[in-house]
Amino acid sequence: MNKSKVCCDIAMFGALGDLAQRKLFPALYQLDRADLLPPETRVLALGHQDSDTDRVRKRLAVKLIEHVAPDELSEAVVDRLLARIEYVRLDFASPEGYGRIREWREGATVPLMVYMATPPALYGDIGGNLRQAGCIEPSTRVVVEKPIGHDLESSRVINDELAAVFEESQLFRIDHYLGKETVQNLIALRFANNLFATQWNQDHISHVEITVAERVGIEGRWGYFDKAGQLRDMVQNHLLQLLCLIAMDPPADLSADSIRDEKLKVLKALRPITRDLVDSHLVRGQYTEGSCGGQPVPGYLEEDGAAAGSKTETFVAIKAEINNWRWAGVPFYMRTGKRLQDKLSQIIIHFKPAPHYIFDPDQAHLANNRLIIRLQPDEGMSLQILTKDQGLDKGMRLRQGPLELSFSEAFDKARIPDAYERLLWEVMKNNQYLFVRRDEVEAAWRWADQVIATWQDHGGLPKRYAAGTWGPMAAIAMIARDGRSWYEDG
Ligand code: BG6
């Protein structure tokens, strides 16, 4: 690849914030280390703190040491990256000071990437001020973080503000799950392997499980989280994106719009969770004190800054259904929660049993093949198949075993890049296929809003679950009512 083609100047708003320090600069470091940043790449770090380039570089050096694995840390690369960075103090909401960005861009021949690592309320101001200062060109790319609003209406306001300044083709809306190596692998798995293409529908698949379990609590973000809850924070974006990649029809090609058109169709076909379905299709939970990773941890209502009596959910389980020919009658059981037993993201495709079973009836329960896709940790895939048990005395006893692909072993322990490395690299290449289009965000909100409205109308309280477990019993009961169970052995 011609590296000069992917060179950008990066204007990073919120450069001293948590996301930039924990994820974005370490990701730039890794790109630099991999020799993917052309020498002329420059970064303008923008923050409202009173500081200067020298102090900011020193602070970033400390953060890099904190967030880059020791065996990947090279002083030479750190120095090279820091030398690219200049700091400018700026009040993002006021047009004053944006001239500094124009001066910095004077004579630049490479495109500008604007990264808004700021609260979404500032996106409109930043865009407008950049335009007024003459910093926007057709080649400018703009990266925005979630949450794009807290419901359909507020997401439209944000999207309208962005659309007033930028074309949709300039906008890169991040859902960092799309940058995860194994999530992209879903596209390869589904569309490069004809073996699965013929099986991937309601004729052959009985149900799908999507679990995104976290061990962490709300990590000092009570104020934000309590207004959002797990459905807005995780389901509306990350879990629905995973569901789309599993359920979408084959795109005509790998272009951004071909993929996003297909994902959008899935979102539009999601069955609304109406009032009569709440009890069977929806579980909300909230953690109480317990123990995580061997450490005692407080309950949600005892976290720092907590308000008594909050009904916000920290766990959601949903039986989602997709109203189309491919998936009619195939439930997609999704669950996600904070303070669960383990950090684990996985998708399990449960295939239907063979149409006519000829083996020992005692073993009929083994008869379903399963494809287990481990997104994190221990990235890999495993196809559970049945073989004959070995030995003269075993007759035709069946045995279930995995066809296993562990990415770290199969690919010679190749390093799995962090999602933000991939995403920044794709922005530099001006490729939007891992970013969410406006109509996708809005379709996801339309469905999520309706789920939220239904449970508000229902008025039930979230079910309690002890931190360090797999969530409330009601989530187990929800899937058990269909004669199934969550696959938990990760
Ligand atoms: C973020 C959510 O989008 O994703 C957090 O706001 C959550 O609440 C995080 O913890 C999970 O991401 P990952 O990559 O650690 O699975």
Side-chain angles (χ1 to χ4, degrees):
M1 182 173 308
N2 181 350
K3 285 177 186 165
S4 66
K5 273 202 180 144
V6 301
C7 186
C8 279
D9 274 347
I10 305 171
M12 195 181 292
F13 289 79
L16 301 187
D18 179 61
L19 175 74
Q21 310 257 311
R22 210 162 37 85
K23 291 287 184 187
L24 305 181
F25 283 108
L28 284 174
Y29 168 87
Q30 294 291 359
L31 293 177
D32 210 346
R33 189 169 86 98
D35 217 10
L36 292 172
L37 292 189
E40 57 275 32
T41 308
R42 301 180 302 160
V43 182
L44 189 64
L46 298 151
H48 49 78
Q49 293 87 335
D50 187 12
S51 194
D52 56 40
T53 298
D54 215 34
R55 279 190 282 161
V56 165
R57 285 181 183 170
K58 285 196 181 110
R59 174 171 166 171
L60 285 175
V62 174
K63 291 288 171 186
L64 287 172
I65 294 168
E66 238 172 75
H67 295 291
V68 174
D71 58 336
E72 293 172 357
L73 208 58
S74 140
E75 216 179 306
V77 182
V78 171
D79 290 346
R80 189 164 74 214
L81 178 67
L82 294 181
R84 300 174 186 279
I85 299 170
E86 251 180 76
Y87 179 75
V88 166
R89 182 186 177 193
L90 191 66
D91 172 1
F92 300 163
S94 138
E96 266 169 60
Y98 278 72
R100 293 286 300 278
I101 305 178
R102 199 192 40 243
E103 282 162 27
W104 175 73
R105 283 283 291 163
E106 208 97 315
T109 53
V110 300
L112 172 66
M113 179 203 303
V114 176
Y115 202 118
M116 302 193 193
T118 66
L122 286 167
Y123 295 167
D125 284 341
I126 295 175
N129 290 336
L130 281 170
R131 179 176 55 189
Q132 206 182 319
C135 299
I136 310 288
E137 291 150 18
S139 64
T140 304
R141 294 131 211 204
V142 181
V143 189
V144 291
E145 277 289 334
K146 73 172 255 276
I148 306 284
H150 58 270
D151 58 12
L152 177 60
E153 210 179 303
S154 52
S155 79
R156 281 189 173 144
V157 171
I158 295 170
N159 279 326
D160 282 345
E161 284 176 352
L162 288 167
V165 184
F166 306 105
E167 299 293 328
E168 183 63 31
S169 59
Q170 296 180 288
L171 287 167
F172 292 73
R173 293 182 192 80
I174 291 224
D175 182 314
H176 78 279
Y177 266 59
L178 294 179
K180 290 183 191 268
E181 191 85 355
T182 29
V183 175
Q184 287 160 63
N185 233 319
L186 294 175
I187 296 180
L189 172 82
R190 289 205 47 211
F191 306 123
N193 295 287
N194 196 31
L195 169 69
F196 293 121
T198 51
Q199 305 293 309
W200 214 261
N201 56 46
Q202 48 84 22
D203 287 337
H204 302 283
I205 292 177
S206 68
H207 62 289
V208 175
E209 269 178 66
I210 302 177
T211 291
V212 177
E214 298 184 83
R215 231 191 222 171
V216 293
I218 38 111
E219 295 186 296
R221 299 186 302 159
W222 215 89
Y224 154 76
F225 189 86
D226 198 57
K227 287 198 201 82
Q230 193 74 352
L231 189 122
R232 289 191 177 95
D233 188 47
M234 295 293 288
V235 178
Q236 185 272 344
N237 36 72
H238 309 322
L239 276 92
L240 285 187
Q241 285 294 328
L242 295 178
L243 177 138
C244 284
L245 291 173
I246 291 295
M248 70 197 245
D249 275 357
D253 52 41
L254 279 182
S255 71
D257 278 338
S258 295
I259 293 178
R260 299 187 299 181
D261 287 347
E262 296 304 334
K263 287 196 288 164
L264 181 65
K265 285 185 206 159
V266 175
L267 291 169
K268 286 184 169 171
L270 277 171
R271 180 183 183 186
I273 309 271
T274 44
R275 182 69 175 81
D276 53 318
L277 296 181
V278 176
D279 291 332
S280 54
H281 284 56
L282 198 56
V283 173
R284 285 186 308 150
Q286 193 185 72
Y287 62 85
T288 55
E289 69 179 312
S291 148
C292 251
Q295 297 296 319
V297 294
Y300 179 67
L301 297 179
E302 290 99 48
E303 295 276 10
D304 280 350
S310 164
K311 295 180 195 157
T312 298
E313 81 287 352
T314 59
F315 175 98
V316 192
I318 298 185
K319 177 177 165 182
E321 290 169 86
I322 301 170
N323 286 336
N324 64 19
W325 276 44
R326 187 186 282 272
W327 296 115
V330 180
F332 282 67
Y333 300 99
M334 302 192 280
R335 64 175 171 167
T336 177
K338 309 269 186 240
R339 287 281 188 236
L340 298 185
Q341 191 166 316
D342 245 325
K343 179 164 178 72
L344 171 74
S345 299
Q346 64 182 13
I347 298 171
I348 324 268
I349 314 291
H350 294 264
F351 291 92
K352 288 185 172 169
H356 176 59
Y357 184 74
I358 57 172
F359 299 94
D360 183 350
D362 284 357
Q363 291 194 290
H365 65 283
L366 292 180
N368 303 9
N369 297 122
R370 283 188 299 233
L371 175 65
I372 298 162
I373 305 164
R374 295 186 305 273
L375 304 177
Q376 60 186 24
D378 183 23
E379 291 83 350
M381 290 177 196
S382 160
L383 181 62
Q384 303 283 323
I385 56 159
L386 292 168
T387 53
K388 182 193 148 330
D389 209 351
Q390 300 235 24
L392 285 175
D393 57 335
K394 300 285 177 14
M396 273 312 271
R397 294 276 314 159
L398 299 176
R399 201 182 143 134
Q400 201 168 41
L403 286 179
E404 173 74 29
L405 172 65
S406 157
F407 292 167
S408 67
E409 281 165 32
F411 302 121
D412 209 15
K413 306 220 178 305
R415 176 177 174 273
I416 296 184
D418 182 74
Y420 279 94
E421 295 167 35
R422 162 77 53 198
L423 294 173
L424 281 167
W425 177 231
E426 295 300 332
V427 182
M428 289 177 197
K429 289 193 288 178
N430 207 17
N431 187 350
Q432 287 181 305
Y433 85 116
L434 296 179
F435 298 85
V436 189
R437 208 168 56 189
R438 173 175 185 155
D439 48 8
E440 282 182 85
V441 175
E442 295 187 358
W445 273 126
R446 197 169 290 113
W447 184 77
D449 277 0
Q450 170 277 316
V451 176
I452 293 166
T454 307
W455 82 33
Q456 277 167 355
D457 176 42
H458 177 263
L461 290 173
K463 310 270 189 264
R464 306 273 178 248
Y465 63 98
T469 64
W470 282 109
M473 285 304 292
I476 298 169
M478 181 182 90
I479 192 166
R481 274 194 298 273
D482 295 342
R484 296 168 177 147
S485 58
W486 298 101
Y487 180 87
E488 260 159 27
D489 56 74

